[in-house]
Amino acid sequence: MEISPVVRPVRYDHPDAVKLDELVQQEYVLRYGDPDVTPLDPEMFAPPNGIYLLAYEDGRPLATGGWRRQDANDEGYSDGDAEIKRMFVTAEARGRGLARRILAALEDDARAAGRTRMVLETGIKQPEALELYASSGYRPVPKFGHYREYDDSRCFGKLL
């Protein structure tokens, strides 16, 4: 009997999170030619300033995503922002709704932590991500973050 995927919080430096981060970086290299070099630290995802989630099935990590607190700064964020980072589903688990489950859990957690807007940056070579966010109520917002000057970068937001 197959066990339904379970979503649970882990630290960003948990071995399974590191494993999936390596896979998502390979995906970025395939699609864009380079890994994502946005500076990230495990403490950025530590409650109440964020959370990092993994979806497991039969003990295997299949999907990941996190949010981290952002407030107004010179990179274009606004007070109350919760920035989504490292949304990823392994190739064998795609098409099963795991990204949507993680996204909903991230939104709920950020709302409970008092954040007022979810924001994210993705790229034009990730059509699956663009479709997920559009179908989940995210709309284009002025660019922010590490890749705000890049032509193939797209930024989205959703009020919580």
Side-chain angles (χ1 to χ4, degrees), residues 67-87:
W67 74 266
R68 63 181 180 159
R69 176 190 181 107
Q70 294 287 3
D71 287 303
N73 64 26
D74 60 0
E75 287 193 347
Y77 296 97
S78 298
D79 285 343
D81 282 352
E83 182 185 19
I84 296 170
K85 296 301 296 178
R86 295 297 189 265
M87 287 288 293

Side-chain angles (χ1 to χ4, degrees), residues 2-6 56-58 96 101:
E2 184 174 299
I3 298 171
S4 179
V6 174
Y56 285 93
E57 184 174 73
D58 297 329
R96 297 175 52 195
R101 278 184 60 196

